[in-house]
Every structure is written in structure tokens, then in C-alpha cells.
Amino acid sequence: MEYRVVQPNGSIRTVRGRGFPVLDNDGKPYRVAGVTEDITEQKQAEIDQARLAALVEFSPAGIVGIGLDGTVQHWNPGAERLFGYKASEVIGQSIRMLAPPERQNEFATLSQSIRAGNAVRAYETVRNHKDGSSIDIILTVAPILGTSGEPVGMNAIVQDNRQRIQFQKEPQRLKKSRNASRKSCTTDTARSSADFKCEFAACKNASKTRD
């Protein structure tokens, strides 16, 4: 049984109590012995783990757990929405399956940093959607440390970068559109001027003929 107790200093601890009967020579219980264990830290760790699991589950970003060899170990719903693959389709597979041919070597570079215990922040790259289209993304990758303090894997936060890339390209698109409009206006103005000159010349010749 688990319950909470208030200590003399006002702090609250969570404890687990276990009791069992002590039998006499005739096999009859004559008293109860018990053990009380302080599980405050364990309960807090469980709460923290549940909170972290909820953050991962409901995060709008893709969160992917990856082994040092590149094997996908965790794939949250955000990753499903971003890449189009369900967790069952990618867990156990190599994360390289998402990289286009020209970016296959990127994992080795990222893995090298993680093995050295260093995080990789705001790394802009491109990955493939299940439908074959390309996705501009931003990667943030952090090492997962084992009990000895050595990296045993990595967590990657994947954010969709397509909107930002499109926003950066918008001024260039508008500039090209304005240049094209100016060129069109100049051409139309030149054409109108030429047409006017021709009409004027025709009228002038007609006047001379009447004279």
C-alpha cells in the first residue's frame, strides 16, 4: 500500500508499506511484521517520465529516437504527420531511408558529433516524404546517455522548414514578377508608340494625296 506522510519539518514523503503475518509454532498468526519504504524519488521519476511521454506524444514537431547505428527506435505522431510513415513502418528500419541519395552521408556526420557527446542544433537539410516529395526540415539532435555517461543513442527533433524557405524565396519571386511587369509595360509602350507613328504617317500621306 502506498501513502503519503508529513514529516516534522513539513515536507511530504511518499512511502510504500508491506505487511505479512508472523506464525507461531502451531502455524497460527500471532503478530504482523511490516516494512515501510520511502519511494518519494521513484514516484517523482514516474511523474517526470509521464510528463515527458505526454510532451513527446502531443508535440507538433517530429520526435525520433535513434540508435547509434541509425536504427529508428521511437517515432511520435508528429513524425508521422511530417513524413507520412506510421511508426510500424519505420521502427526497426534505418533512419537513412528518409535521406535522398545526395544526403546519405549526413547521418555519419551527425552520429560522429553525438558519439562525442555533442548536440547538433538547428541543422537545415532535406528529407523525403513517403509520397516521394522533398521536405525542407530543421534538425536538432541530442545524445541519450547511458548509466555510465556514454552516449547510447540520440533523440532528434524534426521541424518543418518549408514555410520559412518559401517565405525567404518570396522577395525574389516578387522581384522577378515586377521586372517582368516592367518589361511588358516597356514593350507595350514601344509598340503603342510605333503604332501611333504609323497611323500619323498614314494620315499625313492621305492629306498630301488630297492636296
Side-chain angles (χ1 to χ4, degrees):
M1 182 174 60
E2 296 179 5
Y3 52 95
R4 297 190 301 170
V5 297
V6 180
Q7 294 187 315
N9 63 3
S11 63
I12 299 176
R13 308 293 293 181
T14 302
V15 298
R16 178 186 292 133
R18 291 177 292 174
F20 51 91
V22 178
L23 307 179
D24 60 17
N25 293 333
D26 296 326
K28 297 178 179 180
Y30 71 98
R31 67 185 178 89
V32 176
V35 176
T36 301
E37 178 185 8
D38 188 337
I39 59 170
T40 304
E41 283 73 22
Q42 177 185 333
K43 295 298 291 185
Q44 186 59 51
E46 291 174 358
I47 293 172
D48 292 342
Q49 184 65 30
R51 184 180 294 115
L52 178 60
L55 288 173
V56 171
E57 185 71 14
F58 297 105
S59 171
I63 299 179
V64 184
I66 310 168
L68 292 179
D69 62 351
T71 302
V72 178
Q73 300 172 341
H74 180 79
W75 186 264
N76 82 329
E80 290 187 4
R81 290 188 294 270
L82 182 58
F83 294 107
Y85 290 98
K86 295 185 178 298
S88 59
E89 296 178 286
V90 292
I91 290 179
Q93 303 296 322
S94 173
I95 194 65
R96 295 179 180 87
M97 67 181 285
L98 301 175
E102 68 274 12
R103 295 181 180 270
Q104 284 292 317
N105 293 330
E106 287 185 345
F107 177 77
T109 302
L110 295 172
S111 179
Q112 186 176 6
S113 295
I114 295 300
R115 289 175 184 273
N118 300 318
V120 177
R121 295 178 175 84
Y123 182 80
E124 297 188 23
T125 185
V126 177
R127 291 295 181 265
N128 290 335
H129 189 274
K130 184 179 179 179
D131 63 10
S133 61
S134 297
I135 308 173
D136 295 295
I137 62 171
I138 298 177
L139 282 175
T140 297
V141 189
I144 301 173
L145 304 181
T147 55
S148 63
E150 294 294 321
V152 295
M154 63 192 83
N155 277 329
I157 299 175
V158 190
Q159 296 174 296
D160 192 337
N161 197 31
R162 286 173 291 187
Q163 188 173 2
R164 190 176 74 87
I165 293 293
Q166 186 63 34
F167 182 77
Q168 290 176 339
K169 291 179 179 178
E170 188 64 14
Q172 297 178 354
R173 187 189 69 80
L174 292 175
K175 183 178 179 181
K176 289 181 180 179
S177 178
R178 285 195 298 268
N179 290 340
S181 297
R182 291 194 190 100
K183 184 177 180 180
S184 177
C185 289
T186 301
T187 302
D188 291 342
T189 301
R191 185 181 299 113
S192 298
S193 178
D195 292 343
F196 175 77
K197 289 179 179 178
C198 289
E199 291 176 3
F200 180 77
C203 291
K204 187 175 181 181
N205 290 335
S207 177
K208 288 181 178 179
T209 302
R210 286 196 297 272
D211 292 343

